Coordinates of all heavy atoms in Angstrom, one line a residue:
M21 N 4.8 -2.1 12.5 CA 4.8 -1.3 11.2 C 6.1 -0.8 11.0 O 6.9 -0.5 11.9 CB 3.8 -0.2 11.3 CG 3.8 0.6 10.0 SD 2.7 2.1 10.0 CE 1.1 1.3 10.5
D22 N 6.6 -0.8 9.7 CA 7.8 -0.5 9.2 C 8.0 1.1 9.6 O 7.3 1.9 8.9 CB 7.9 -0.7 7.7 CG 9.2 -0.3 7.0 OD1 10.0 0.4 7.7 OD2 9.3 -0.6 5.9
E23 N 9.0 1.4 10.3 CA 9.2 2.9 10.8 C 9.5 3.8 9.6 O 9.1 4.9 9.5 CB 10.2 3.0 11.9 CG 10.3 4.3 12.5 CD 8.9 4.8 13.2 OE1 8.3 4.0 13.7 OE2 8.7 6.0 13.1
E24 N 10.3 3.2 8.6 CA 10.6 3.8 7.5 C 9.6 4.2 6.6 O 9.4 5.4 6.1 CB 11.8 3.1 6.7 CG 12.4 3.9 5.6 CD 13.5 3.0 5.0 OE1 14.5 2.6 5.6 OE2 13.3 2.8 3.7
L25 N 8.7 3.3 6.4 CA 7.5 3.6 5.6 C 6.5 4.6 6.3 O 6.1 5.5 5.6 CB 6.6 2.3 5.4 CG 5.2 2.4 4.8 CD1 5.4 3.0 3.3 CD2 4.5 1.2 4.8
H26 N 6.4 4.4 7.6 CA 5.6 5.4 8.4 C 6.1 6.9 8.1 O 5.4 7.9 7.8 CB 5.8 5.1 9.9 CG 5.0 5.9 10.8 ND1 3.7 5.4 11.2 CD2 5.1 7.1 11.4 CE1 3.2 6.3 12.0 NE2 4.1 7.4 12.1
E27 N 7.5 7.1 8.2 CA 8.0 8.4 7.9 C 7.9 8.9 6.6 O 7.7 10.1 6.3 CB 9.4 8.4 8.6 CG 9.6 8.4 10.0 CD 8.8 9.5 10.7 OE1 8.9 10.7 10.2 OE2 8.1 9.2 11.6
R28 N 8.0 8.0 5.6 CA 7.9 8.3 4.3 C 6.5 8.8 3.8 O 6.3 9.8 3.2 CB 8.1 7.1 3.4 CG 8.8 7.3 2.0 CD 9.3 6.1 1.3 NE 8.6 4.9 1.4 CZ 9.2 3.7 2.0 NH1 10.3 3.7 2.5 NH2 8.4 2.6 2.0
V29 N 5.5 8.2 4.5 CA 4.1 8.6 4.4 C 4.0 9.9 4.9 O 3.4 10.8 4.3 CB 3.1 7.6 5.0 CG1 1.7 8.1 5.1 CG2 3.1 6.3 4.2
R30 N 4.4 10.2 6.1 CA 4.3 11.5 6.7 C 5.0 12.5 5.9 O 4.5 13.7 5.8 CB 4.8 11.4 8.2 CG 4.0 10.7 9.2 CD 4.6 10.7 10.5 NE 5.2 11.9 11.0 CZ 4.5 12.9 11.5 NH1 3.2 12.9 11.5 NH2 5.2 14.0 11.8
D31 N 6.2 12.2 5.3 CA 6.9 13.3 4.5 C 6.1 13.6 3.2 O 6.0 14.7 2.8 CB 8.3 12.7 4.1 CG 9.3 12.7 5.3 OD1 9.0 13.4 6.3 OD2 10.3 12.0 5.2
I32 N 5.6 12.5 2.6 CA 4.7 12.7 1.4 C 3.5 13.7 1.7 O 3.2 14.5 1.0 CB 4.3 11.4 0.7 CG1 5.6 10.7 0.3 CG2 3.3 11.5 -0.4 CD1 5.4 9.3 -0.2
V33 N 2.8 13.3 2.8 CA 1.6 14.1 3.0 C 2.0 15.5 3.3 O 1.4 16.4 3.0 CB 0.8 13.4 4.2 CG1 -0.3 14.4 4.7 CG2 0.2 12.0 3.8
A34 N 3.1 15.7 4.1 CA 3.6 17.1 4.4 C 4.0 17.9 3.1 O 3.9 19.1 3.1 CB 4.8 17.0 5.4
S35 N 4.3 17.3 2.0 CA 4.8 17.8 0.8 C 3.5 18.2 0.0 O 3.8 18.9 -1.1 CB 5.7 17.1 0.1 OG 5.2 15.9 -0.5
I36 N 2.3 17.8 0.3 CA 1.2 18.2 -0.6 C 0.9 19.7 -0.2 O 0.7 20.0 0.9 CB 0.0 17.4 -0.2 CG1 0.2 15.9 -0.3 CG2 -1.3 17.9 -1.1 CD1 -0.8 15.0 0.3
P37 N 1.0 20.5 -1.3 CA 0.9 21.9 -1.1 C -0.5 22.4 -0.8 O -1.4 21.8 -1.3 CB 1.4 22.5 -2.5 CG 1.2 21.5 -3.4 CD 1.3 20.1 -2.7
P38 N -0.6 23.5 -0.1 CA -1.9 24.1 0.1 C -2.6 24.3 -1.3 O -2.1 24.7 -2.2 CB -1.7 25.4 0.7 CG -0.3 25.3 1.4 CD 0.4 24.3 0.5
G39 N -4.0 24.1 -1.3 CA -4.8 24.2 -2.5 C -4.7 23.0 -3.3 O -5.4 23.0 -4.4
S40 N -4.1 21.9 -2.8 CA -4.0 20.7 -3.6 C -4.5 19.5 -2.7 O -4.4 19.6 -1.5 CB -2.6 20.4 -4.1 OG -2.2 21.3 -5.0
V41 N -4.9 18.4 -3.4 CA -5.2 17.2 -2.7 C -4.7 15.9 -3.3 O -4.2 16.1 -4.5 CB -6.9 17.0 -2.6 CG1 -7.4 18.1 -1.8 CG2 -7.4 16.8 -3.8
A42 N -4.6 14.8 -2.6 CA -4.1 13.5 -3.0 C -5.1 12.6 -2.6 O -5.8 12.8 -1.6 CB -2.6 13.3 -2.7
T43 N -5.1 11.4 -3.1 CA -5.9 10.4 -2.6 C -5.1 9.4 -1.8 O -3.8 9.5 -1.8 CB -6.6 9.5 -3.7 OG1 -5.5 8.8 -4.4 CG2 -7.3 10.3 -4.7
Y44 N -5.7 8.6 -0.9 CA -4.9 7.6 -0.1 C -4.1 6.8 -1.1 O -3.0 6.3 -0.8 CB -5.9 6.7 0.7 CG -6.5 7.5 1.8 CD1 -7.9 7.9 1.7 CD2 -5.8 7.8 3.0 CE1 -8.5 8.6 2.7 CE2 -6.5 8.6 4.0 CZ -7.9 8.9 3.9 OH -8.5 9.7 4.8
G45 N -4.7 6.4 -2.2 CA -4.0 5.7 -3.2 C -2.7 6.3 -3.8 O -1.7 5.6 -3.9
D46 N -2.9 7.6 -4.0 CA -1.8 8.4 -4.5 C -0.6 8.3 -3.6 O 0.6 8.1 -3.9 CB -2.1 9.9 -4.7 CG -3.1 10.1 -5.7 OD1 -3.3 9.2 -6.7 OD2 -3.8 11.1 -5.8
V47 N -0.9 8.5 -2.2 CA 0.1 8.5 -1.3 C 0.7 7.1 -1.1 O 2.0 7.0 -1.0 CB -0.4 9.1 0.1 CG1 0.6 9.0 1.2 CG2 -0.9 10.5 0.0
A48 N -0.1 6.2 -1.1 CA 0.4 4.7 -1.0 C 1.4 4.5 -2.1 O 2.4 3.8 -1.9 CB -0.7 3.7 -1.1
A49 N 1.0 4.8 -3.3 CA 1.8 4.6 -4.5 C 3.1 5.3 -4.3 O 4.2 4.7 -4.6 CB 1.2 5.0 -5.8
A50 N 3.1 6.6 -4.0 CA 4.4 7.3 -3.8 C 5.3 6.8 -2.6 O 6.4 6.9 -2.8 CB 3.9 8.8 -3.6
A51 N 4.7 6.2 -1.7 CA 5.3 5.8 -0.5 C 5.7 4.3 -0.6 O 6.4 3.7 0.2 CB 4.5 6.0 0.8
D52 N 5.3 3.7 -1.7 CA 5.5 2.2 -1.9 C 4.8 1.4 -0.8 O 5.4 0.4 -0.3 CB 6.9 1.9 -2.2 CG 7.1 0.5 -2.8 OD1 6.3 0.1 -3.5 OD2 8.1 0.0 -2.5
A53 N 3.6 1.8 -0.4 CA 2.8 1.1 0.7 C 2.0 0.0 0.0 O 1.6 0.2 -1.1 CB 2.0 2.0 1.5
S54 N 1.7 -1.0 0.7 CA 1.1 -2.2 0.2 C -0.5 -1.8 -0.1 O -1.1 -2.4 -1.0 CB 1.1 -3.3 1.1 OG 0.5 -2.9 2.4
T55 N -1.0 -0.9 0.6 CA -2.5 -0.6 0.4 C -2.8 0.9 0.9 O -2.3 1.4 1.9 CB -3.3 -1.6 1.3 OG1 -4.7 -1.2 1.2 CG2 -3.0 -1.8 2.7
P56 N -3.8 1.5 0.2 CA -4.3 2.8 0.7 C -4.8 2.7 2.1 O -4.6 3.8 2.8 CB -5.3 3.2 -0.4 CG -5.0 2.4 -1.5 CD -4.4 1.1 -1.1
R57 N -5.3 1.6 2.5 CA -5.8 1.7 3.9 C -4.8 1.9 5.0 O -5.1 2.5 6.1 CB -6.4 0.4 4.3 CG -7.8 0.2 3.5 CD -8.4 -1.1 3.8 NE -9.7 -1.4 3.0 CZ -10.8 -1.1 3.4 NH1 -11.1 -0.5 4.6 NH2 -11.9 -1.2 2.6
L58 N -3.6 1.4 4.6 CA -2.4 1.7 5.6 C -2.2 3.2 5.8 O -1.9 3.7 6.8 CB -1.1 1.0 5.0 CG 0.1 1.1 5.8 CD1 -0.2 0.5 7.3 CD2 1.2 0.3 5.2
I59 N -2.3 4.0 4.7 CA -2.2 5.5 4.8 C -3.1 6.1 5.7 O -2.8 6.9 6.6 CB -2.3 6.1 3.3 CG1 -1.4 5.5 2.3 CG2 -2.1 7.6 3.5 CD1 0.1 5.2 2.7
G60 N -4.4 5.6 5.6 CA -5.5 6.1 6.6 C -5.1 5.8 8.1 O -5.2 6.6 9.0
R61 N -4.6 4.6 8.1 CA -4.2 4.1 9.5 C -3.1 5.0 10.1 O -3.1 5.4 11.2 CB -3.8 2.7 9.6 CG -3.4 2.1 10.8 CD -3.1 0.6 10.8 NE -2.4 0.4 12.0 CZ -1.5 -0.7 11.8 NH1 -1.4 -1.5 10.9 NH2 -0.7 -1.0 13.0
I62 N -2.1 5.3 9.3 CA -0.9 6.1 9.7 C -1.3 7.4 10.0 O -1.0 8.0 11.1 CB 0.2 6.1 8.6 CG1 0.8 4.7 8.6 CG2 1.2 7.2 8.9 CD1 1.9 4.5 7.4
L63 N -2.2 8.1 9.2 CA -2.6 9.4 9.5 C -3.5 9.4 10.7 O -3.6 10.4 11.4 CB -3.4 9.9 8.3 CG -2.5 10.2 7.0 CD1 -3.2 10.6 5.8 CD2 -1.4 11.2 7.4
S64 N -4.4 8.4 10.9 CA -5.2 8.5 12.1 C -4.5 8.4 13.4 O -4.8 9.0 14.4 CB -6.4 7.3 12.0 OG -5.8 6.1 12.2
E65 N -3.3 7.6 13.3 CA -2.6 7.4 14.5 C -1.4 8.5 14.7 O -1.1 8.7 15.9 CB -1.8 6.0 14.4 CG -2.8 4.9 14.5 CD -2.1 3.5 14.3 OE1 -0.9 3.5 14.1 OE2 -2.8 2.6 14.3
D66 N -1.0 9.1 13.6 CA 0.2 9.9 13.8 C 0.2 11.0 12.6 O 1.2 11.2 12.1 CB 1.4 9.2 13.8 CG 2.7 10.0 14.0 OD1 2.6 11.1 14.8 OD2 3.8 9.7 13.5
G67 N -0.9 11.6 12.4 CA -1.0 12.6 11.3 C -1.5 13.9 11.7 O -1.8 14.7 10.8
Q68 N -1.7 14.3 13.0 CA -2.2 15.5 13.5 C -1.3 16.6 13.1 O -1.8 17.7 12.9 CB -2.6 15.4 14.9 CG -3.6 14.4 15.3 CD -4.9 14.4 14.3 OE1 -5.4 15.5 14.1 NE2 -5.3 13.4 13.9
D69 N 0.0 16.5 13.0 CA 0.9 17.6 12.7 C 1.3 17.6 11.2 O 2.2 18.4 10.9 CB 2.1 17.5 13.6 CG 2.9 16.2 13.2 OD1 2.3 15.3 12.9 OD2 4.1 16.2 13.6
V70 N 0.6 16.9 10.3 CA 0.8 17.1 8.9 C -0.5 17.4 8.3 O -1.6 17.2 8.9 CB 1.3 15.7 8.3 CG1 2.8 15.5 8.7 CG2 0.5 14.6 8.5
P71 N -0.6 17.9 7.0 CA -1.9 18.3 6.5 C -2.7 17.1 6.0 O -3.0 17.0 4.8 CB -1.5 19.2 5.3 CG -0.2 18.7 4.9 CD 0.5 18.3 6.2
W72 N -3.1 16.3 7.0 CA -3.9 15.1 6.7 C -5.3 15.5 5.9 O -5.8 14.6 5.1 CB -4.4 14.5 8.0 CG -5.2 15.5 8.9 CD1 -4.7 16.2 9.9 CD2 -6.6 15.7 8.9 NE1 -5.7 17.0 10.4 CE2 -6.9 16.7 9.8 CE3 -7.6 15.2 8.1 CZ2 -8.2 17.2 10.1 CZ3 -8.8 15.7 8.3 CH2 -9.2 16.6 9.2
H73 N -5.7 16.8 6.1 CA -6.9 17.0 5.4 C -6.8 17.1 3.9 O -7.8 17.1 3.1 CB -7.5 18.3 6.0 CG -6.4 19.6 5.7 ND1 -5.4 19.8 6.5 CD2 -6.5 20.5 4.8 CE1 -4.8 20.8 6.1 NE2 -5.4 21.2 5.0
R74 N -5.7 17.1 3.4 CA -5.5 17.1 1.9 C -5.4 15.7 1.2 O -5.2 15.6 0.1 CB -4.1 17.8 1.7 CG -4.0 19.2 2.1 CD -2.8 19.9 1.9 NE -2.7 21.2 2.5 CZ -1.7 21.8 2.9 NH1 -0.5 21.3 2.8 NH2 -1.8 23.0 3.5
V75 N -5.7 14.6 2.1 CA -5.8 13.3 1.6 C -7.2 12.8 1.6 O -7.9 12.9 2.5 CB -4.9 12.3 2.4 CG1 -4.9 11.0 1.8 CG2 -3.4 13.0 2.5
L76 N -7.7 12.4 0.5 CA -9.2 12.0 0.3 C -9.2 10.6 -0.3 O -8.3 9.9 -0.6 CB -9.8 13.0 -0.8 CG -9.7 14.4 -0.5 CD1 -10.0 15.2 -1.8 CD2 -10.7 14.8 0.6
R77 N -10.5 10.2 -0.1 CA -10.8 8.8 -0.8 C -10.6 8.9 -2.3 O -10.7 9.9 -2.9 CB -12.1 8.4 -0.3 CG -12.2 8.2 1.2 CD -13.4 7.6 1.8 NE -14.6 8.1 1.1 CZ -15.9 7.6 1.6 NH1 -15.9 6.8 2.6 NH2 -16.8 8.0 1.0
A78 N -10.6 7.7 -2.9 CA -10.4 7.7 -4.4 C -11.5 8.4 -5.2 O -11.3 8.8 -6.3 CB -10.5 6.3 -4.9
N79 N -12.7 8.5 -4.5 CA -13.8 9.2 -5.3 C -13.8 10.7 -4.9 O -14.8 11.3 -5.5 CB -15.1 8.6 -5.0 CG -15.5 8.6 -3.5 OD1 -14.8 9.3 -2.7 ND2 -16.7 8.2 -3.2
G80 N -12.9 11.2 -4.3 CA -12.8 12.7 -4.1 C -13.5 13.2 -2.8 O -13.7 14.3 -2.6
T81 N -13.9 12.2 -2.0 CA -14.7 12.6 -0.8 C -13.8 12.3 0.5 O -12.9 11.5 0.5 CB -15.9 11.8 -0.6 OG1 -15.7 10.4 -0.6 CG2 -16.9 12.0 -1.9
P82 N -14.2 13.0 1.5 CA -13.4 12.8 2.8 C -13.9 11.6 3.4 O -15.1 11.1 3.1 CB -13.8 14.1 3.6 CG -14.3 15.1 2.6 CD -14.9 14.3 1.6
A83 N -13.3 11.1 4.5 CA -13.8 10.0 5.2 C -15.0 10.5 6.0 O -15.1 11.6 6.4 CB -12.8 9.6 6.3
P84 N -16.1 9.8 6.1 CA -17.4 10.2 6.6 C -17.3 10.9 8.0 O -17.9 11.8 8.2 CB -18.3 9.0 6.7 CG -17.7 8.1 5.6 CD -16.3 8.3 5.5
H85 N -16.4 10.3 8.9 CA -16.3 10.9 10.3 C -15.6 12.3 10.3 O -15.5 12.8 11.3 CB -15.7 9.8 11.1 CG -14.3 9.4 10.8 ND1 -13.9 8.6 9.7 CD2 -13.1 9.8 11.6 CE1 -12.6 8.6 9.9 NE2 -12.1 9.2 10.8
L86 N -15.0 12.6 9.1 CA -14.0 13.7 9.0 C -14.7 14.9 8.2 O -14.2 15.9 8.0 CB -12.7 13.5 8.7 CG -11.9 12.5 9.5 CD1 -10.7 12.1 8.7 CD2 -11.5 13.1 10.8
V87 N -15.8 14.5 7.4 CA -16.3 15.3 6.3 C -16.3 16.8 6.6 O -15.9 17.5 5.8 CB -17.5 14.8 5.8 CG1 -18.7 14.9 6.7 CG2 -17.9 15.4 4.4
H88 N -16.9 17.2 7.7 CA -17.2 18.6 7.9 C -15.8 19.4 8.3 O -15.6 20.4 7.6 CB -18.2 18.9 9.1 CG -19.5 18.3 8.8 ND1 -20.3 18.8 7.7 CD2 -20.2 17.3 9.3 CE1 -21.5 18.1 7.6 NE2 -21.3 17.1 8.6
R89 N -15.0 18.8 9.0 CA -13.8 19.5 9.4 C -12.9 19.5 8.2 O -12.2 20.6 8.0 CB -13.1 18.8 10.6 CG -11.8 19.4 11.0 CD -12.0 20.8 11.6 NE -10.7 21.2 12.1 CZ -10.3 22.5 11.9 NH1 -11.1 23.3 11.4 NH2 -9.2 22.9 12.3
Q90 N -12.8 18.4 7.5 CA -11.9 18.3 6.3 C -12.3 19.3 5.2 O -11.4 20.0 4.7 CB -11.8 16.8 5.9 CG -10.7 16.6 5.0 CD -10.6 15.1 4.7 OE1 -11.3 14.2 5.0 NE2 -9.4 14.8 3.9
L91 N -13.6 19.3 4.9 CA -14.0 20.3 3.9 C -13.8 21.8 4.3 O -13.5 22.6 3.5 CB -15.5 20.1 3.5 CG -15.8 18.7 2.8 CD1 -17.3 18.5 2.6 CD2 -14.9 18.6 1.4
E92 N -13.9 21.9 5.6 CA -13.7 23.3 6.1 C -12.2 23.7 6.0 O -11.9 24.9 5.5 CB -14.1 23.3 7.6 CG -13.7 24.7 8.2 CD -14.0 24.6 9.9 OE1 -14.7 23.6 10.3 OE2 -13.5 25.5 10.5
L93 N -11.3 22.8 6.3 CA -9.9 23.2 6.2 C -9.6 23.2 4.7 O -8.8 24.1 4.3 CB -9.1 22.0 6.8 CG -9.1 21.9 8.3 CD1 -8.5 20.6 8.8 CD2 -8.5 23.2 8.9
L94 N -10.0 22.4 3.8 CA -9.8 22.6 2.4 C -10.3 23.9 1.8 O -9.7 24.5 1.0 CB -10.3 21.4 1.6 CG -9.6 20.0 1.9 CD1 -10.3 18.9 1.3 CD2 -8.1 20.1 1.3
R95 N -11.6 24.2 2.2 CA -12.1 25.5 1.7 C -11.3 26.7 2.2 O -11.1 27.6 1.3 CB -13.6 25.7 2.4 CG -14.4 26.8 1.7 CD -15.9 26.6 2.2 NE -16.2 26.1 3.6 CZ -16.7 24.9 3.7 NH1 -17.0 24.0 2.8 NH2 -16.9 24.5 5.0
A96 N -10.7 26.6 3.3 CA -9.8 27.7 3.7 C -8.6 27.9 2.9 O -8.0 28.9 2.8 CB -9.4 27.5 5.2
E97 N -8.2 26.8 2.1 CA -7.1 26.8 1.2 C -7.5 27.0 -0.2 O -6.7 27.0 -1.1 CB -6.3 25.4 1.2 CG -5.6 25.2 2.7 CD -4.9 24.0 2.8 OE1 -5.0 23.0 1.8 OE2 -4.3 23.7 3.8
G98 N -8.8 27.3 -0.4 CA -9.2 27.5 -1.8 C -9.8 26.2 -2.6 O -10.0 26.4 -3.7
V99 N -9.8 25.1 -1.9 CA -10.2 23.9 -2.5 C -11.8 23.7 -2.3 O -12.1 23.6 -1.1 CB -9.6 22.7 -2.0 CG1 -10.1 21.4 -2.5 CG2 -8.0 22.7 -2.2
L100 N -12.5 23.8 -3.3 CA -14.0 23.9 -3.2 C -14.6 22.7 -3.5 O -14.2 21.9 -4.5 CB -14.6 25.0 -4.1 CG -13.9 26.5 -3.8 CD1 -14.5 27.5 -4.7 CD2 -14.1 26.9 -2.3
A101 N -15.6 22.2 -2.9 CA -16.3 20.9 -3.0 C -17.6 21.1 -3.8 O -18.2 22.2 -3.7 CB -16.6 20.3 -1.6
D102 N -17.8 20.2 -4.5 CA -19.3 20.1 -5.1 C -20.1 19.1 -4.2 O -19.9 17.9 -4.3 CB -19.3 19.6 -6.5 CG -20.5 19.5 -7.2 OD1 -21.5 20.0 -6.6 OD2 -20.6 19.0 -8.3
G103 N -20.8 19.7 -3.3 CA -21.4 18.9 -2.2 C -20.3 18.4 -1.2 O -19.8 19.3 -0.7
Q104 N -20.1 17.2 -1.3 CA -19.1 16.7 -0.3 C -17.9 16.1 -1.1 O -16.9 15.4 -0.6 CB -19.5 15.6 0.6 CG -20.5 16.2 1.6 CD -21.0 15.3 2.7 OE1 -20.8 14.1 2.6 NE2 -21.7 15.8 3.7
R105 N -17.8 16.3 -2.5 CA -16.8 15.7 -3.4 C -15.9 16.8 -4.0 O -16.3 17.9 -4.4 CB -17.5 15.0 -4.5 CG -16.6 14.3 -5.5 CD -17.4 13.6 -6.5 NE -18.5 12.8 -6.1 CZ -18.3 11.5 -5.7 NH1 -17.2 10.9 -5.7 NH2 -19.5 11.0 -5.2
I106 N -14.6 16.6 -3.8 CA -13.6 17.5 -4.5 C -13.3 17.0 -6.0 O -13.2 15.8 -6.1 CB -12.3 17.4 -3.6 CG1 -12.6 17.9 -2.1 CG2 -11.2 18.2 -4.3 CD1 -13.1 19.2 -1.9
D107 N -13.3 17.9 -6.8 CA -13.0 17.7 -8.2 C -11.5 17.3 -8.3 O -10.6 18.1 -8.3 CB -13.4 18.8 -9.1 CG -13.0 18.6 -10.5 OD1 -12.4 17.5 -11.0 OD2 -13.5 19.3 -11.4
L108 N -11.2 15.9 -8.3 CA -9.8 15.5 -8.4 C -9.0 16.1 -9.7 O -7.8 16.2 -9.7 CB -9.7 14.0 -8.2 CG -10.1 13.5 -6.9 CD1 -10.0 12.0 -6.9 CD2 -9.2 14.0 -5.8
R109 N -9.7 16.2 -10.7 CA -9.1 16.7 -12.0 C -8.5 18.2 -11.8 O -7.6 18.4 -12.5 CB -10.2 16.6 -13.1 CG -10.3 15.2 -13.7 CD -11.5 15.2 -14.7 NE -12.7 15.5 -14.0 CZ -13.9 15.5 -14.5 NH1 -14.1 15.3 -15.8 NH2 -14.9 15.8 -13.7
R110 N -9.3 18.8 -11.0 CA -8.9 20.3 -10.8 C -7.9 20.4 -9.7 O -7.0 21.2 -9.8 CB -10.2 21.0 -10.5 CG -9.9 22.5 -10.2 CD -11.1 23.3 -10.1 NE -10.8 24.7 -9.8 CZ -11.7 25.6 -9.5 NH1 -12.9 25.2 -9.4 NH2 -11.4 26.8 -9.3
Y111 N -8.0 19.7 -8.6 CA -7.2 19.9 -7.4 C -6.2 19.0 -7.1 O -5.4 19.1 -6.2 CB -8.0 20.1 -6.2 CG -9.0 21.2 -6.3 CD1 -10.4 21.0 -6.5 CD2 -8.5 22.6 -6.1 CE1 -11.3 22.2 -6.5 CE2 -9.4 23.7 -6.2 CZ -10.7 23.5 -6.3 OH -11.6 24.5 -6.4
R112 N -6.1 17.8 -7.8 CA -5.2 16.8 -7.6 C -3.8 17.1 -7.7 O -3.4 17.6 -8.7 CB -5.5 15.5 -8.4 CG -4.7 14.3 -7.9 CD -5.0 13.0 -8.8 NE -5.3 11.9 -8.1 CZ -6.0 10.9 -8.4 NH1 -6.6 10.9 -9.6 NH2 -6.2 9.9 -7.6
W113 N -3.0 16.8 -6.7 CA -1.5 17.1 -6.7 C -0.8 16.0 -7.4 O -1.1 14.9 -7.3 CB -1.1 17.1 -5.2 CG 0.4 17.2 -5.1 CD1 1.2 18.3 -5.4 CD2 1.2 16.3 -4.3 NE1 2.5 18.0 -5.0 CE2 2.4 16.8 -4.3 CE3 0.8 15.1 -3.7 CZ2 3.6 16.2 -3.7 CZ3 2.0 14.4 -3.0 CH2 3.3 14.9 -3.0
R114 N 0.1 16.5 -8.3 CA 0.9 15.5 -9.1 C 2.3 15.5 -8.5 O 3.1 16.5 -8.6 CB 1.0 16.0 -10.5 CG -0.4 16.1 -11.3 CD -1.1 14.7 -11.3 NE -2.4 14.8 -11.9 CZ -3.3 13.8 -11.8 NH1 -3.0 12.8 -11.3 NH2 -4.4 14.0 -12.5
N115 N 2.5 14.4 -7.6 CA 3.8 14.3 -7.0 C 4.9 14.2 -8.0 O 4.9 13.2 -8.7 CB 3.7 13.1 -6.0 CG 5.0 12.8 -5.2 OD1 5.9 13.5 -5.4 ND2 5.0 11.8 -4.5
P116 N 5.9 15.2 -8.0 CA 6.9 15.0 -8.9 C 7.8 13.8 -8.7 O 8.5 13.3 -9.6 CB 7.7 16.4 -8.9 CG 7.4 16.8 -7.5 CD 6.0 16.3 -7.1
V117 N 7.8 13.2 -7.5 CA 8.6 12.1 -7.2 C 7.8 10.7 -7.5 O 8.3 9.8 -7.9 CB 9.0 12.1 -5.7 CG1 9.9 10.9 -5.3 CG2 9.8 13.3 -5.4
G118 N 6.5 10.8 -7.3 CA 5.7 9.5 -7.4 C 5.2 9.2 -8.8 O 5.4 9.7 -9.8

């Protein structure tokens, strides 16, 4: 994997402010990555020290295997879910660079 892309993704995720979320697609677009799936892969392999919990699927839901922990972390930042879905119109981060 391209190390420069890897670091760009980590930097973008690190810049998502508390109380905001982005989708894998948002991060992919900002990082000029080929696919949102690549963002998930990078975060799963090397994302524990960045706010990975602020990145959601395109429909505003966490990955199924992360749902409880991710919603708990988001709730602590004031991001409230309707069931297991985050309202992207309300909480979506608008990257000033992307």
Side-chain angles (χ1 to χ4, degrees):
M21 180 183 310
D22 177 352
E23 190 62 33
E24 190 175 302
L25 173 62
H26 185 98
E27 287 307 312
R28 211 166 40 243
V29 167
R30 288 177 42 78
D31 289 345
I32 290 165
V33 172
S35 70
I36 301 169
S40 296
V41 298
T43 66
Y44 292 103
D46 294 338
V47 176
D52 199 26
S54 59
T55 175
R57 289 182 185 268
L58 185 56
I59 307 310
R61 181 173 157 210
I62 290 170
L63 292 178
S64 71
E65 293 174 359
D66 187 28
Q68 298 309 313
D69 62 335
V70 296
W72 60 267
H73 61 281
R74 297 180 189 147
V75 182
L76 302 166
R77 299 185 322 180
N79 65 0
T81 61
H85 67 287
L86 299 171
V87 66
H88 299 294
R89 179 68 178 139
Q90 193 164 9
L91 291 177
E92 175 186 348
L93 290 168
L94 289 171
R95 191 171 29 257
E97 295 181 353
V99 177
L100 305 177
D102 181 7
Q104 294 184 348
R105 184 180 312 271
I106 302 297
D107 182 351
L108 293 176
R109 287 173 292 186
R110 180 174 180 187
Y111 295 108
R112 188 179 229 156
W113 172 61
R114 301 296 177 191
N115 178 0
V117 180

